[in-house]
Each structure stands twice: as structure tokens, then as C-alpha cells.
Amino acid sequence: MSKFSTNEFKGGLKVMIDHDPYSILENEYVKPGKGQAFNRVKLRNLKTGRVLERTFKSGDVLDGADVVDCDMQYLYCDGEFWHFMNPTTFEQISASATAVGDTKQWLKEQDTYIMTLWNGVPLTIEAPNTVTLKIVETDPGVRGDTATGGTKPATLETGAIVRVPLFLEEGDVIKVDTRKGEYLSRANKA
Amino acid sequence: MIQKKFQLRAMLYQKIRTFFSERNVLEVETPLLCQHTVTDPHIESFIVPINGDAINRVSTNYYLQTSPEYAMKRLLAAGSGSIYQITKSFRVGESGHQHNPEFTMLEWYRVGFDHHDLMDEIDLFLQILLQTSPADKISYRNLFLKYLQFDPFQIDCESLKKLISKNNIAVDTNDIDHDTCLQILLSHLIEPTLGVEKPLFIYDFPVTQAALAKIRHDDPPVAERFELYMNGSEIANGFHELTDPVEQQMRFEKNQRDRKNNQQTVPAIDHYFINALKSGLPHCAGVAIGIDRLLMQYTKTKNIQDVVSFTFDKA
């Protein structure tokens, strides 16, 4: 297992603390003119998403976390697990509801997502910042209401519900910002 | 933008030179490459192999100086009178928002001054150069009493460790000593608020943090050392200088023992410097000011890369 000294700390480095994998968010080197140097570090727990602050003496060493990001194609959900495939090796990996989390509402079969693996087990699945999806259910728009910039809920093919402008109809294809869950624009029909 | 950066630096240097020439403080230069270096366990020096000539091929190591202190004190002992220097200094591994392993230092010595005289002069220096308000002063002891309600000269190490965890500072306290505990509390809980409206001097440190300062035998004894803070950043460190060669030698030997225990390299003691003290260092006070930090204050940036040409990783 690789080890990292405080002088190698930087944003994005994956390390182990108390048996959990963490990603370094910020690293601040603190050094009194005379005296012990420290690193004040902000880290995100990759299992829980919680952010914590730790202070290390400069020179302290942490184990690296065997965490890798890979592009995975979403195949299907069997009701309990979400199944993905590595498009180059064709290796299949199934992810639990915890790992899939809120991303499940954006998962469309055949599309590619970023899977973070820790010791070969999926920690998180991340959707691209924007996805293109079809509206499968929405009330018909009411003419004349567009001036107020009104919106209405629309259910997308993956099950996600977003607010869309009134003129959109079932069967329309739209671009959505997955970070905010917001409608961005109309897309050409897929 | 790039022009502005260097215009400010050039202007600052000009003002510094004017300030000192008006006070008959002489500008000097000392070697960047020296045969000796600091023994301080918390400072690491860059080693430079000096190649021998083609026939003998003997090579020895020199060090890039981490501060011009020893060389300047040799000049003082040789009768230079009050002196100053703007120089590069080098410290291994000191990289961060406020640190670059190669940085610029302004160091000056005033013969006949004690640390309070020198703090007063620095205060004036800041008022003239950076248009700051007159500085505040607080002793190290009163600082802790004021902010954390304990006496740093009385409290034991175990109580300090309890305070660290009580204040939710997540750090492994198993193998840290009394001074390091104090520094953790200072840097996490006090420092960010120091010197915000006007510069702040902290003076009279614990003797265990004396470095090269003279010790005054009060009860408890204190090291006549000071630090300057502006907007939560340490800008300068100064001493009423230790002039006793025997005590200096003992402090260096303690450094060497500490370095050995930490399994660090153990540099030899600079005998040129010790000999200079033996020949007689005049009573004086000295200070090192980080010029890059000063420019960061002037331009209100939190990042050293905004005031230097190229940081270490891009040098």
C-alpha cells in the first residue's frame, strides 16, 4: 500500500483515516517562525460524504486509499442492485442503493457514469453534470401562461421529476443539470 | 498586472532603503552559500555539493542559508554598527499559501536596542511604509490569559492536551510536547484574530521557545523575543539578542541532541559564529521580516504566489 507524507498532500489525494477512505479537499501548511510545522487538512469521507478537519504534524504519514474512478456503462437494476459494465474489459460490477444514492434518478441504460471504487467495491456513482432525457409524463401546457415564466412538473424516463416550462410535452427530450436537478434546455429528439 | 506586482516590490525596496539610510543603518550583503547552517530541529536546509577541482575531485557540502542571522552577527561582532539586509533565504519543505521554500527576508540589527526599542522602530517602519495604525503590544502570557484564560507559564502538558480536544482540534497529541501544544492552541484559536485592525506584537516568550533571544530572569524567566502579526499572519520574528557564547553553544548542543533523537541530520555547530560571540557581540536587537508576507499585506492577498515571480513548483 502506498503511503503519503504531509508534503505530498494536495486536493484530490485519497487517504485512509480510521479505516475509512477520504479525499483531501484543502491542505493548508501552517508553520510558526520557530517551532513545529503543521498541515491543517479538510477531508471528505468517501463513504458518508461528511467533511472533517484534521491537523497533522508535518512529516506525518497516512496510508493511501485504493480508490479509483472509472467510466462504467449502466446496464439494469434488478430491484436490489444496479448493474454496471466496464466498456473496455466487459467486467460487470453491481452497486448497492447506498453507492448509487441520489444518482439513481439519472441512470439511463447504456449511458456511461463515473464509478468510484474502493478496494474494488463501488463507493459512489456520479452522473455527468448534464444529461439528456425524455419526458414520459407531464400535464398538457396551458396556453397564455408562458408570460409568467410558469413551470410544471415532468417525469423523465429515468423516474426523475423536474420542473419544465409549460410548452413542453410528453415525448420531448430535454437537457437537465444533475447537480441542481434543473431543466436547462430542449434537446434534439434522441 | 505583472508590472504592478513588481512596481510594488520595487517601491517597497526603495522605501526600505530610504528608511534605513535616514537612520544610518548600513546595507550589507552576506553569503547565500555557507559551510554551516542552523541546528534548529524545525528548519531544514538545502544542501549544495561544492565540486572540488578537476584534479583533486574532493567535494564538500555547503548550505543555502535559511536566514542571514549568523553572518550578520559576525559583522556586528566585527564592529559594523547597525546593519540591514534584503536577501533570499531557503528552507526545505516550506510550501503553502503563505510559504515558498525560497523567500525574501529583510533582516536588521540595531546596536544598543532591546526588543522593545526595536518593536517601536518596526511600528514606525510599518506606519511609514504600509500606512498602518500604531501597533498594539501584548505579552505572550497575557495573550493566553486574554484569549484562553490560562497562564502558559503555569499550565502542564496534560491540561493543554485536554484543552486541544475540548476545542475540537483533531490532532494526535500522543507525542507532542508542551511548546507544540501551546503552538497548536495559538495557531488554531488565537492567531486568526491577531493584528486585524492594527499590527500586533507578542513579546516575552517561554524560555523553551527562546531560539537566539536573551533570557530575562524574572519569575518566571522569559525569553526577550517577539513576533509581529498582521491580519492573522506572522510577519516578523525578533530578539533582544543572546550575546553569551557559552549559553549559545549549549542551546546549539541541545538542538543537536533533539535532532539526533528525531533521527534528523545533525549539522555541525557554526564555529565562525560562536567565535564571533566570543570576540564580543555588542548588545543589540534584531528582527527578520518576511518581505513577501509584507507585500501580501500591502496587496491584501492570502496567497504568496500573487507577490512572487514564480513559485517553487514553477521555478
Side-chain angles (χ1 to χ4, degrees):
Chain A
M1 176 64 72
S2 50
K3 288 186 181 291
F4 296 99
S5 165
T6 51
N7 59 25
E8 299 169 279
F9 284 9
K10 57 174 184 218
L13 186 73
K14 313 285 196 300
V15 293
M16 294 297 298
I17 294 174
D18 304 334
H19 312 295
D20 270 358
Y22 281 80
S23 175
I24 292 180
L25 300 176
E26 282 172 36
N27 172 42
E28 176 73 32
Y29 177 78
V30 183
K31 172 87 166 73
K34 312 277 167 192
Q36 174 72 48
F38 304 102
N39 288 64
R40 292 181 71 171
V41 188
K42 243 185 214 165
L43 310 107
R44 172 177 286 124
N45 184 318
L46 292 173
K47 277 165 75 179
T48 65
R50 274 191 55 206
V51 173
L52 63 80
E53 256 190 69
R54 282 263 176 137
T55 298
F56 298 95
K57 276 192 305 177
S58 291
D60 280 356
V61 172
L62 291 177
D63 284 329
D66 179 15
V67 172
V68 287
D69 290 336
C70 49
D71 286 337
M72 296 291 277
Q73 198 176 50
Y74 173 57
L75 299 177
Y76 64 96
C77 173
D78 64 14
E80 192 179 357
F81 289 100
W82 284 256
H83 297 267
F84 293 81
M85 182 180 73
N86 183 324
T88 36
T89 64
F90 304 110
E91 180 198 8
Q92 288 193 22
I93 294 176
S94 56
S96 67
T98 326
V100 174
D102 286 341
T103 304
K104 68 169 175 261
Q105 60 178 332
W106 308 117
L107 291 179
K108 186 177 153 192
E109 287 167 17
Q110 312 306 325
D111 277 4
T112 304
Y113 301 84
I114 297 165
M115 182 183 271
T116 304
L117 293 163
W118 173 41
N119 297 330
V121 179
L123 272 177
T124 54
I125 318 288
E126 210 179 306
N129 291 341
T130 59
V131 292
T132 305
L133 295 169
K134 189 161 46 172
I135 297 175
V136 294
E137 199 187 323
T138 189
D139 291 335
V142 183
R143 221 167 240 293
D145 229 16
T146 49
T148 60
T151 59
K152 60 180 180 177
T155 308
L156 308 181
E157 56 186 311
T158 56
I161 297 172
V162 294
R163 298 202 67 88
V164 300
L166 298 174
F167 61 83
L168 290 173
E169 296 168 2
E170 286 174 12
D172 282 343
V173 178
I174 60 168
K175 274 191 184 159
V176 182
D177 181 333
T178 59
R179 291 164 297 183
K180 298 180 193 156
E182 276 175 11
Y183 166 84
L184 287 173
S185 66
R186 243 171 131 155
N188 294 329
K189 303 232 172 192
Chain B
M1 200 61 211
I2 200 81
Q3 232 183 350
K4 179 110 192 283
K5 184 149 121 175
F6 291 100
Q7 279 168 351
L8 283 173
R9 188 178 278 267
M11 192 184 70
L12 184 69
Y13 286 11
Q14 210 166 30
K15 285 182 171 176
I16 291 170
R17 294 198 157 101
T18 306
F19 181 88
F20 287 115
S21 82
E22 282 169 356
R23 285 163 180 76
N24 289 317
V25 179
L26 183 65
E27 180 163 13
V28 296
E29 267 188 21
T30 54
L32 291 178
L33 280 172
C34 299
Q35 295 174 62
H36 294 94
T37 189
V38 285
T39 47
D40 185 327
H42 301 300
I43 298 177
E44 288 305 319
S45 314
F46 286 95
I47 295 168
V48 181
I50 305 295
N51 302 323
D53 59 61
I55 302 157
N56 292 317
R57 286 245 166 249
V58 185
S59 82
T60 48
N61 287 331
Y62 271 51
Y63 300 92
L64 277 173
Q65 53 109 25
T66 62
S67 138
E69 182 159 11
Y70 302 166
M72 289 180 80
K73 284 182 179 169
R74 283 166 65 187
L75 294 179
L76 287 159
S80 65
S82 295
I83 50 176
Y84 79 98
Q85 170 162 218
I86 300 170
T87 182
K88 284 291 182 69
S89 295
F90 304 85
R91 295 179 184 185
V92 174
E94 302 198 359
S95 279
H97 297 140
Q98 303 220 54
H99 293 82
N100 197 49
E102 173 176 341
F103 60 102
T104 307
M105 206 181 241
L106 164 63
E107 182 133 337
W108 88 82
Y109 290 88
R110 288 297 234 143
V111 173
F113 276 30
D114 70 8
H115 58 317
H116 285 284
D117 298 330
L118 188 56
M119 279 187 268
D120 291 344
E121 185 167 72
I122 296 164
D123 187 9
L124 193 64
F125 172 91
L126 293 172
Q127 290 179 43
I128 293 173
L129 270 72
L130 270 71
Q131 289 81 47
T132 54
S133 308
D136 274 341
K137 278 186 190 177
I138 188 169
S139 72
Y140 189 88
R141 184 182 194 181
N142 285 337
L143 181 80
F144 278 85
L145 284 169
K146 178 178 169 188
Y147 285 89
L148 299 175
Q149 294 80 47
F150 71 82
D151 183 344
F153 292 86
Q154 301 292 335
I155 195 165
D156 62 65
C157 199
E158 280 314 303
S159 310
L160 287 173
K161 288 181 181 180
K162 275 183 200 142
L163 274 167
I164 288 172
S165 65
K166 210 180 93 187
N167 283 287
N168 298 316
I169 303 170
V171 61
D172 178 7
T173 53
N174 277 330
D175 57 346
I176 58 177
D177 60 20
H178 192 268
D179 284 317
T180 301
C181 284
L182 287 172
Q183 269 152 4
I184 288 175
L185 291 166
L186 180 68
S187 67
H188 285 71
L189 303 176
I190 309 179
E191 247 181 46
T193 65
L194 295 183
V196 172
E197 274 156 28
K198 43 191 160 177
L200 176 74
F201 289 99
I202 302 172
Y203 63 93
D204 287 355
F205 278 66
V207 293
T208 44
Q209 298 179 31
L212 275 71
K214 195 188 277 287
I215 287 173
R216 190 175 72 242
H217 291 280
D218 288 358
D219 181 27
V222 293
E224 294 190 327
R225 174 185 156 202
F226 63 88
E227 282 187 344
L228 166 68
Y229 281 87
M230 292 171 75
N231 292 307
S233 288
E234 187 196 330
I235 303 292
N237 180 72
F239 308 129
H240 187 199
E241 301 290 348
L242 176 66
T243 52
D244 178 351
V246 177
E247 188 174 342
Q248 184 64 73
Q249 175 81 23
M250 277 163 49
R251 288 191 201 174
F252 281 161
E253 285 169 2
K254 177 172 189 315
N255 281 344
Q256 286 184 318
R257 285 195 300 278
D258 289 343
R259 289 188 70 96
K260 196 171 172 213
N261 291 339
N262 300 340
Q263 283 151 12
Q264 294 169 286
T265 55
V266 183
I269 291 170
D270 185 346
H271 57 90
Y272 293 114
F273 173 52
I274 294 291
N275 286 341
L277 293 187
K278 281 181 186 161
S279 76
L281 179 68
H283 284 279
C284 62
V287 63
I289 294 186
I291 287 288
D292 308 309
R293 298 262 181 96
L294 214 53
L295 278 164
M296 286 163 69
Q297 289 297 322
Y298 196 69
T299 57
K300 299 186 169 52
T301 175
K302 290 272 169 206
N303 210 321
I304 196 166
Q305 72 181 26
D306 296 335
V307 299
V308 301
S309 56
F310 305 108
T311 47
F312 198 60
D313 55 324
K314 298 191 181 83

